[in-house]
Amino acid sequence: MAERDLLLRVSGLKQYFKINRRYTIKAVDGVSFEIVRGETYGLVGESGSGKSTIGRSLIRLYKPTSGEIEFNGSPISGPLGRDTKKMLRTKMQMIFQDPAASLNPRRKVMDLVAEGLDIHRLCPTAAAREEKVYGILQSVGLAREHAQRYPHQFSGGQKQRIGIARALVMNPDLIIADEAISALDVSIQAQVVNLMKDIQRKTGVAFLFISHDLSMVKYISDRIGVLHLGRLVETGDTQEIFKSPIHPYTRALLSAIPRPNPQTERDRVALRYDVHEAGIDYSHGVRRAVSPGHDVLATEEEFRRWTERVL
Ligand SMILES: Nc1ncnc2c1ncn2[C@@H]1O[C@H](COP(=O)(O)OP(=O)(O)OP(=O)(O)O)[C@@H](O)[C@H]1O
Ligand SMILES: [Mg+2]
């Protein structure tokens, strides 16, 4: 991978929450991955595995407990200088699961979409600001006249389009989409995901697509990271992960997806996985390469056992 194509590098990220003197939640426990410009990286894993925490650490809602994060060539895990902060606040954007809750009901769409521009004083004139917002609304499939309306006048799918417009107006390099379509009707989910793909083709923006819906992740992601108990247990190209998953947790996760074909659905066996029953201690494993770009967290013995079975 050429260095200039690298957008985000996360190395050994830990995010701990100290609950009291004796108890600390290790929400993210030593996670490393990279995102290349213009790609979609899917982060999957069950509820509580640490997906949202990673997203929030990246945009610095939290100060990472340890580890390094580099974005656009600048370190963003330590204290942030003024320029780095501005770069981070403009070039990395987030869209949330609940578009209704993240849009101020008392503000018009024009002001909601222009908020980032206003905060960072990116538009010299009122006319330029309006034109910018109209252009962005169009690119997410909304009309000029929508700019004068309030959030409650929109459907769920349209609200999420407003959320995407708010991110897009900053001309970001990375959009973190945390369960951004999970709350929408299934028929609307496809529309919004296709809109995101379309925007990516036009602007070259990269996505960190966080979801527990594996079929959607498979559809949208170039690469996938599988998270469990705050650790990335497997990462690789989407096709490769779906074709030859190595880690027992990944295999269990994939075995839970219903197949569209009734014939193969009948033969599907949902695997059970319990980390303790399986006798796996993630802290003993290291990242081992299955093939170029396909890594699994395993001890030497586990790696041998798991790859013998699959390859
Ligand atoms: N601010 C916080 N303070 C304390 N614990 C937290 C905090 N945020 C998250 N956690 C804990 O960290 C773990 C990971 O939570 P996180 O929200 O990242 O999971 P998730 O993978 O996004 O789950 P979901 O699929 O349900 O959204 C959970 O055990 C959660 O309870
Ligand atoms: Mg979450």
Side-chain angles (χ1 to χ4, degrees):
M1 177 195 320
E3 201 57 18
R4 67 187 156 76
D5 292 334
L6 192 65
L7 177 62
L8 180 82
R9 191 207 306 271
V10 178
S11 344
L13 177 67
K14 293 186 179 177
Q15 192 72 62
Y16 292 179
F17 298 108
K18 201 172 155 112
I19 302 303
N20 58 39
R21 219 147 29 97
R22 271 168 314 177
Y23 189 51
T24 298
I25 293 181
K26 299 180 173 181
V28 178
D29 203 11
V31 160
S32 305
F33 64 99
E34 295 173 344
I35 296 181
V36 178
R37 285 186 191 282
E39 79 165 332
T40 298
Y41 190 91
L43 205 51
V44 298
E46 66 195 37
S47 182
S49 55
K51 305 181 297 293
S52 296
T53 304
I54 290 179
R56 296 197 197 110
S57 306
L58 294 180
I59 58 164
R60 283 301 296 271
L61 282 176
Y62 305 134
K63 176 166 182 355
T65 307
S66 70
E68 265 102 62
I69 309 170
E70 209 179 287
F71 177 58
N72 263 330
S74 302
I76 56 161
S77 34
L80 299 172
R82 226 181 96 204
D83 291 350
T84 310
K85 197 168 196 168
K86 180 164 185 182
M87 187 278 286
L88 180 62
R89 292 279 165 257
T90 54
K91 293 296 175 186
M92 194 189 288
Q93 296 292 319
M94 194 150 183
I95 47 183
F96 298 93
Q97 167 161 13
D98 185 356
S102 56
L103 298 175
N104 183 339
R106 281 178 292 276
R107 303 197 73 193
K108 287 180 180 164
V109 169
M110 170 60 77
D111 299 321
L112 287 169
V113 173
E115 190 173 280
L117 300 175
D118 297 343
I119 291 171
H120 297 282
R121 297 194 183 84
L122 295 177
C123 281
T125 66
R129 175 181 180 270
E130 275 188 8
E131 277 317 303
K132 179 89 189 169
V133 171
Y134 288 144
I136 293 290
L137 286 179
Q138 191 183 15
S139 67
V140 299
L142 294 172
R144 273 174 100 94
E145 51 270 26
H146 287 142
Q148 300 313 319
R149 296 189 193 159
Y150 292 90
H152 75 266
Q153 295 173 283
F154 294 88
S155 68
Q158 286 176 319
K159 281 187 194 129
Q160 200 52 296
R161 286 170 195 266
I162 299 170
I164 295 172
R166 273 163 63 83
L168 216 54
V169 80
M170 303 307 286
N171 197 19
D173 294 319
L174 178 65
I175 295 179
I176 300 173
D178 188 358
E179 304 280 5
I181 56 163
S182 314
L184 304 176
D185 287 350
V186 173
S187 58
I188 309 294
Q189 286 187 353
Q191 284 180 19
V192 175
V193 162
N194 285 331
L195 172 67
M196 286 164 66
K197 279 191 150 189
D198 198 36
I199 288 168
Q200 183 169 59
R201 262 192 302 273
K202 286 181 190 144
T203 64
V205 68
F207 282 103
L208 177 61
F209 190 82
I210 297 175
S211 178
H212 62 266
D213 179 351
L214 279 148
S215 36
M216 202 48 94
V217 169
K218 182 182 183 184
Y219 177 63
I220 197 175
S221 308
D222 300 299
R223 292 189 304 132
I224 289 181
V226 181
L227 202 66
H228 190 221
L229 303 174
R231 314 236 183 188
L232 212 49
V233 296
E234 188 160 5
T235 186
D237 285 349
T238 304
Q239 299 299 328
E240 165 100 4
I241 296 280
F242 275 81
K243 204 169 81 232
S244 31
I246 300 292
H247 198 284
Y249 178 70
T250 314
R251 289 164 53 84
L253 207 59
L254 297 188
S255 75
I257 311 174
R259 312 245 172 92
N261 179 343
Q263 204 94 50
T264 56
E265 170 64 12
R266 209 167 31 228
D267 301 335
R268 178 171 68 90
V269 182
L271 303 172
R272 247 176 55 77
Y273 175 74
D274 181 293
V275 65
H276 301 296
E277 278 176 26
I280 300 174
D281 184 340
Y282 291 157
S283 66
H284 293 166
V286 297
R287 288 275 283 275
R288 295 173 194 275
V290 182
S291 60
H294 183 185
D295 290 357
V296 64
L297 181 72
T299 63
E300 208 177 331
E301 190 272 324
E302 285 162 352
F303 187 77
R304 203 175 326 115
R305 195 151 35 93
W306 299 341
T307 49
E308 255 169 24
R309 182 184 54 198
V310 181
L311 298 179

